[in-house]
Amino acid sequence: LESLSLPTTNVIASTEERKIVGENLPTFLNSISDDDKAEARYLSKFVGATAIGLFDAALNYVWNEVVVNLRKKAIMYGIDLFFDAAVGGKNREFYSTEEDLGGLKDQVLLDTCRKLELNSDVVYRKLVHILTMRNEIAASHPNVERIGGYELLGWLQTCVKDVLQDKPS
């Protein structure tokens, strides 16, 4: 970055923070079943982003993995029932297929999953916090905030253990 005369402050996580993630991530990822990892493309992107120190991008990627997983749960629940709970009034007629899930804001997706008990109240609160952090300090919006290695790993743990590995009956 310096050789290209680009900013370096608050762009890439420090060596110490990357070391924290680098030392702890393999153990955590080895605790995830191969089945859970098989289609987790955004988890792969998370790993790539953390490797080069782009923790703000990594948070976006793990959040995308959560959204993909919650949409799958909505489909399993029953798309019509899910949309009945998520979208009221005149707008309901515009939501009928799996592809229409992409038209829901992340907060509506979270609220509806909570309402339908696809997530517990505690998991809901954790995910709302992560969504807020994703919106305010991740790469989704301009900012100059820093994300620490342990902080990022904690959010990853919540997303994986409480969402990706949670299998509805």
Side-chain angles (χ1 to χ4, degrees), residues 70-83:
L70 292 177
R71 288 177 182 169
K72 287 179 185 175
K73 289 177 182 174
I75 293 164
M76 288 174 59
Y77 187 85
I79 198 71
D80 286 329
L81 294 171
F82 189 85
F83 283 138

Side-chain angles (χ1 to χ4, degrees), residues 53-65:
L54 294 173
F55 288 6
D56 55 346
L59 180 54
N60 271 352
Y61 289 135
V62 76
W63 183 255
N64 288 346
E65 196 69 55

Side-chain angles (χ1 to χ4, degrees), residues 154-165:
W155 293 333
L156 173 67
Q157 181 179 15
T158 296
C159 293
V160 169
K161 299 288 184 187
D162 294 338
V163 179
L164 277 60
Q165 293 181 322

Side-chain angles (χ1 to χ4, degrees), residues 2-66:
E2 287 174 354
S3 70
L4 297 171
S5 300
L6 290 170
T8 57
T9 305
N10 290 340
V11 176
I12 295 175
S14 70
T15 303
E16 295 80 25
E17 294 297 328
R18 283 184 283 157
K19 185 177 178 185
I20 289 167
V21 175
E23 289 175 350
N24 291 286
L25 192 57
T27 302
F28 178 74
L29 292 176
N30 287 333
S31 73
I32 302 170
S33 75
D34 289 341
D35 288 342
D36 286 332
K37 289 189 282 190
E39 296 297 319
R41 285 179 179 75
Y42 287 109
L43 195 53
S44 293
K45 291 181 179 198
F46 172 92
V47 172
T50 60
I52 58 174
L54 294 173
F55 288 6
D56 55 346
L59 180 54
N60 271 352
Y61 289 135
V62 76
W63 183 255
N64 288 346
E65 196 69 55
V66 166

Side-chain angles (χ1 to χ4, degrees), residues 41-126:
R41 285 179 179 75
Y42 287 109
L43 195 53
S44 293
K45 291 181 179 198
F46 172 92
V47 172
T50 60
I52 58 174
L54 294 173
F55 288 6
D56 55 346
L59 180 54
N60 271 352
Y61 289 135
V62 76
W63 183 255
N64 288 346
E65 196 69 55
V66 166
V67 168
V68 166
N69 190 275
L70 292 177
R71 288 177 182 169
K72 287 179 185 175
K73 289 177 182 174
I75 293 164
M76 288 174 59
Y77 187 85
I79 198 71
D80 286 329
L81 294 171
F82 189 85
F83 283 138
D84 287 344
V87 184
K90 297 178 225 173
N91 291 331
R92 175 59 179 93
E93 68 183 275
F94 301 111
Y95 294 88
S96 59
T97 68
E98 294 175 11
E99 290 77 28
D100 295 331
L101 284 166
L104 295 178
K105 292 188 177 285
D106 291 353
Q107 186 65 54
V108 172
L109 181 64
L110 287 179
D111 292 346
T112 306
C113 286
R114 177 187 186 191
K115 181 192 264 184
L116 298 175
E117 298 181 354
L118 295 174
N119 292 326
S120 70
D121 288 342
V122 171
V123 170
Y124 169 81
R125 285 188 214 106
K126 289 179 181 181

Side-chain angles (χ1 to χ4, degrees), residues 134-155:
R134 179 246 179 208
N135 287 339
E136 295 190 13
I137 67 171
S140 58
H141 301 298
N143 70 78
V144 293
E145 300 299 323
R146 292 183 192 184
I147 299 172
Y150 290 120
E151 187 173 40
L152 185 62
L153 288 169
W155 293 333

